[in-house]
Amino acid sequence: LTRRRVALFVVITLAALQAFAFARLNPDRLVPGTDSEQYDLMARQLAAGTGLTLDAQPPLEPTLFREPGYPLLVAAAYRIDGFNLEPIVDLQALMVGLAAGFTALIGTRLFGHVAGLSAAVLFGLNSEVSHYAHWLLTEVPFVFLLTAVIALALRAQADQRRADFLSCGIGLGLTALVRVIAAGLIIPIGLALAFTSPRRQRSPRLALLVVGFAVILAPWVVRNVVLFNAPTISGRFGVNLLRRSARAAEPLSAYPDWLVASAWMAANPVSNLVYPISRFQWGPDYEDNLIWDFHVNEMVSYMRRYEPVCQPQPDPDDCYASIGMAFVRAYPVGYVAQSFFALVTLLFAPLPGPQALEHNALVWLGLIAGVALLVRRRLRAPHVLVLLTVGAYLAASILVDTQQRYLMPLLPLFSVLAAVPIAHVLRSAAMRLSQTQGQPSGAATQSRIS
Amino acid sequence: VRAFLVALACLCVAGCAPRPSALQPPPLDTSPAAQWTYAAYLLGRGDPATARTYLEPIAAGSLNAISDPSLFLRDLAEARLFSGDSPGAVAAARQAADALARRPTTAQFRPDDRVVFEHTLEALAAAASDDATRLQQLTADANPAPVADAWYLLGWLQEQHGDAVTARTDYQHYLGLAPRSTFLREASSMRSHAQAMSL
């Protein structure tokens, strides 16, 4: 037991140190043209006591465009240490380490200690994950909270303690305050916990989960009802939907290019060796590339068509949502067909390079291991909880919005699945090693690693 | 308890009922960009006459400080058309077309985007020129995307000429394509008007 704890502590420390080292090597903190700048502005305004706004100068209008969790965290740091981003980055490096620890707990509960530790290594030492810690973005806090929630849910399922149900609900509420997509996960987690709770205790325990979730979200939702007459967590649904749904109206002649781009991305970076990305270039600029059209350009182009209509409206997101829904209603088949492409853009890294090799290999290994588990029916209640969570997250991302980095919150769970074959190989290797060294120690080795 | 629940329900109903948004005050910032943003807001609220009071001074000067001259001039054409200055709307639409021709094609402003923009401008110019034939041609051109605004402007033109029956048919066509194929700032007001006329 002590060795396992030491091993886990080592992985957590290494993951945090690697993220910390990446942050020292990469001094940029705000990503130009992204939500990073908005988080900084919102946190500065919060720290100055002017409320949650996206306006830099008066009149300062309140906003619900972004969730409040991350700006509040950054604002707290600003209040403590001035407008210094380093404490936040250091905290995020620590969160990477802790998320690796939660990944180990999830993996251990599902597939045993070796798989759990392997999953923690796969996730915690992943360069993509470490890289995100140095930016002012929600990725790392979100993945930290999400892994904590799933670890808590698994513990609640196993031990049936009321405190775990309540904590899981509170954690899920906090996670939804960082990114609204987590709110939908109350359904798969609640369902999985409901089916595995004793019948008599089912209702009170689920009530604890829901109460914990609602208590955290209530102040923010009430504020949005009072200020905007909108009982929501964030006002980005319309923007996300329109980026995704306008493509449904495109004719069949557009599909061959998308299929080629999908196949290329799914096989990236191997595909880049056979057919370099430069061969998709159609213009002189960096963005003038078929892969980039498929991944980014078309979405931006659709948005810009409708900006003149929606941006001046009192509720731009409502305007975008009504247009997005109009596309869904007019082209339901096209919208469903587009979901396949949305899944590809969500799962696979689009640009060639070592990071694509690392990301896409992990995703493929996780997918293959997940399918193998389903086919071999080696699923118990904890596996169902995790797979339902993965399915719900993917479905929500695909139906509404898709960006490659949105898969990052699921990388711990893909790491857990990918760790199954790795753990199998490690066990086999350890067994062979112990057999070559002598039969008596073989049984002891097996018992230690299982 | 019952009285409390009834009061709570009334509060919820009152709280959740849609409220018309109050008019934003004019910007303190007098830069062309800020004035244009406010004019676009007024157009979005269906107030082209007041929008013009912010757009015309900018148009009288240099457009160097305007990020997208073609869109600004399209807004000007729209405001002039719906506030009764048809010759001015034609002139602004032509200037917008010239500005659009100078706008480079990029990965995120593609040939299809350009054609959709051109069709919208042509519809504005045709309506301002009282050219129903050209508007009908535009309604028939759905490549790369239908321009619902041409249907609306055709209906609007028929309404101006007192032909409410034909106008109603055109507005119904417009409503069939809106909101996914309507690109003018006043789309929201246009839809309300078309719905009212189609009843």
Side-chain angles (χ1 to χ4, degrees), chain B residues 16-164:
Chain B
C16 297
R19 287 175 294 217
S21 58
L23 180 68
Q24 284 176 15
L28 300 173
D29 183 355
T30 55
S31 68
Q35 299 287 304
W36 178 27
T37 302
Y38 190 66
Y41 162 74
L42 292 170
L43 268 177
R45 284 182 68 95
D47 186 359
T50 317
R52 273 186 76 184
T53 63
Y54 292 88
L55 292 171
E56 296 288 2
I58 304 170
S62 162
L63 296 186
N64 288 341
I66 295 295
S67 56
D68 183 351
S70 55
L71 182 58
F72 169 80
L73 290 162
R74 191 180 89 180
D75 287 348
L76 185 65
E78 183 181 341
R80 283 176 176 173
L81 176 70
F82 289 123
S83 60
D85 178 9
S86 293
V90 173
R94 285 186 183 147
Q95 283 180 288
D98 290 341
L100 183 64
R102 288 192 297 273
R103 186 173 167 181
T105 301
T106 66
Q108 295 175 354
F109 183 72
R110 306 157 71 81
D112 282 0
D113 299 316
R114 185 182 295 282
V115 174
V116 168
F117 202 116
E118 280 169 354
H119 282 175
T120 310
L121 284 176
E122 285 174 33
L124 281 171
S129 311
D130 200 9
D131 187 350
T133 310
R134 178 65 190 134
L135 279 171
Q136 276 167 341
Q137 286 169 351
L138 286 167
T139 59
D141 190 350
N143 188 25
V147 178
D149 299 317
W151 277 114
Y152 180 88
L153 292 169
L154 195 56
W156 181 79
L157 217 53
Q158 307 292 3
E159 198 185 338
Q160 303 284 307
H161 292 301
D163 186 354

Side-chain angles (χ1 to χ4, degrees), chain A residues 104-119:
Chain A
L105 293 179
I106 296 167
T108 302
R109 210 171 270 278
L110 263 57
F111 301 111
H113 178 64
V114 177
L117 209 59
S118 305

